[in-house]
Each structure stands twice: as C-alpha cells, then as structure tokens.
Amino acid sequence: MILSLAAALAAAVGYGVSTIMQAVATRSTHGLAAVTTPLVVAALLVDGLAWLLSLVALDRLPLFLVQAVLAGSVVVVVLLARWFLGARLRRVDVGAVVAVVLALVVIGAAGGEQPATAPPAGFVVVLVTGSVLLALATVLLYRSGSSRALSVAAGLGYSVAALGARTAHAADDLLGTVLQPVAVAVVLGGVVGAVAYLRALEQGSVGGTAATVSVLEVVVPGGIGVAVLGDVVRDGWAVPAVLALAVALAACVVLATSPANSAAEGQDADAPGDGAPTSV
C-alpha cells in the first residue's frame, strides 16, 4: 500500500508539472500544431510517466483514493508558481493547500489497500463503446466547441482511462492486461483527455478548465468504482470519506482559480475567471 500511495503522489507531481508545460506551450502555438512543439512533446512524456505511476497505484488502491490524489496535482501547480515564479499566493490558497493534504490523509485511511476485482458482465463493452463515442464527440468539439464542453470531454476521457486501467488490473499477467479489449478504452480515454484538455486551455481560462477536469476525474470514476467495481470504504469511514472528498474537491477548485495557478500556466491573471493581475 505504501508503494501504491507513493506512486499516486509521484503521478500527481508529474501531472502538475506537465500541466504547466502544456499551458505555456499553447501561448504561442494553436490548434493541432501545439501537439508537435518540443515543450508539449516533453509534457506528454511526463504525462506518460505519471500515467504509468498511476497504473501502479490503481493495482492496489480504490479509484476514489487514486483519483483524489491525482486531482491534488493542482497543489503542485500552485506551489511551483509560488516557489519558482514568485506568483502571488492568497491566504485562501494556503488554506486550500492544507485542506487538500488533510483531506487526502482521511481518504487514504478510508480506502486502504484493495486489489482490483473482475468487473460485472457487460461493463467492458459499455466502457469501450463509451470511449469510442466520447472520441467521436471530441473530434466534433475540437474545432468549434466551447472551453467548458472540451473541459468536460477531457474530464470524462481521463475518467474512462482510469476505469479501464482499474478494470484491466483484474488480469493475472501483464500480457493478459495489455491484450484485453478494455485496453481500447484506456488508450482512447487517455488520448481524448490529453487532446481535449490542451484545446480547452487554448480556448478558455486555466482555472475553469482545471477545476472542471479535477472534479469530473474524481467524482465519475470514484462513484462508478464504488457502485460497480467493488471498491469499498472501510467500516465506519463512509461519512468521513465523503466529507473529505467534498473538502478536497472544493479546495482543488479554489486552487484551480488561484492567481498563482494562472501565473504558473503562463496566462495573464486578468483573463476572465483568473482573478487578480499576476503574469510570468
């Protein structure tokens, strides 16, 4: 369990660093061309490493715990902005950072180690079908979709990838995991999440995009994990877990809209929804 938690935390750091790199890249390059810039390519490599670490975590930890830790990557973004860019950190941001950390401690205690179990009949078919439909919807949204719609697509894409990864871990060996049909959902979900997120950052505010994705990638897979995939909360920990999740999500939203987050993302904090003036 300690190894799995360490992997989840390392993945959150990786995602936070990657987010900064991608957002900075979109300042000068737009559209699909942004995906080929050196900074975005490097960011995608960091994303890939973080994703592999998240797979290690998903092998032994429930979805609601892993996804809550990954959503905490916004803490990394804000702290990096403060330490390395001299960005302004509000008092409410400091409180939100503390709240996220304490909430994750409670969530970790409520979840504990839970190896993946086989999904119910028909779940893989539904998940793969949903990933294909989501990919098609993202293609349609890419050119003319709003930032909010693209943010939702990104959050759902990452959710599908997490659900697929948790389901795939029920296999007995690595080859069996890779060759499962659910691997299609993992790949499509990850691609949709990365592409839609990058496009949403280009179209709208960093804070709104990060907040939307953070909430969706915790609530959707976490809820399905408990309802369908057999993830459980320890006896007596249900209420603390729900309250801690609510606190963590609220704090992540606060941090996502922080001026420090906007500065770290390379955007003017005067942009709509981004708060007070702070720029790189």
Side-chain angles (χ1 to χ4, degrees), residues 4-241:
S4 297
L5 280 174
L9 289 170
V13 172
Y15 283 134
V17 172
S18 175
T19 294
I20 294 175
M21 296 168 68
Q22 292 181 55
V24 170
T26 59
R27 298 174 64 192
S28 57
T29 308
H30 303 289
L32 289 175
V35 181
T36 62
T37 62
L39 191 57
V40 170
V41 171
L44 292 177
L45 291 176
V46 174
D47 254 340
L49 177 59
W51 179 69
L52 291 176
L53 289 168
S54 73
L55 293 185
V56 174
L58 285 168
D59 188 40
R60 292 289 174 180
L61 299 175
L63 274 161
F64 67 84
L65 171 53
V66 175
Q67 295 306 108
V69 172
L70 296 183
S73 62
V74 70
V75 172
V76 177
V77 173
V78 170
L79 292 181
L80 286 177
R82 176 65 183 88
W83 293 337
F84 295 105
L85 301 177
R88 183 169 67 87
L89 199 63
R90 305 169 301 182
R91 289 184 180 179
V92 68
D93 297 332
V94 176
V97 169
V98 174
V100 169
V101 173
L102 294 178
L104 290 180
V105 171
V106 175
I107 295 169
E113 184 174 3
Q114 298 177 37
T117 59
F123 180 79
V124 171
V125 174
V126 171
L127 191 62
V128 171
T129 302
S131 69
V132 172
L133 294 176
L134 182 60
L136 292 174
T138 301
V139 170
L140 296 175
L141 287 171
Y142 190 87
R143 184 173 296 276
S144 58
S146 66
S147 174
R148 181 57 56 86
L150 287 161
S151 299
V152 171
L156 292 178
Y158 288 136
S159 297
V160 167
L163 287 164
R166 178 69 171 166
T167 301
H169 273 298
D172 294 330
D173 54 67
L174 178 60
L175 182 61
T177 298
V178 173
L179 295 180
Q180 290 181 87
V182 75
V184 174
V186 176
V187 173
L188 278 181
V191 171
V192 166
V195 173
Y197 188 61
L198 186 62
R199 182 63 166 172
L201 287 173
E202 179 185 328
Q203 297 281 28
S205 70
V206 171
T209 298
T212 300
V213 173
S214 293
V215 171
L216 286 176
E217 69 178 352
V218 174
V219 173
V220 174
I224 293 176
V226 172
V228 180
L229 299 181
D231 290 347
V232 297
V233 179
R234 288 180 177 178
D235 291 341
W237 284 86
V239 173

Side-chain angles (χ1 to χ4, degrees), residues 201 203-208 257-259 262-263 266-279:
L201 287 173
Q203 297 281 28
S205 70
V206 171
T257 57
S258 167
S262 299
Q267 292 197 8
D268 191 339
D270 275 332
D274 279 353
T278 307
S279 57

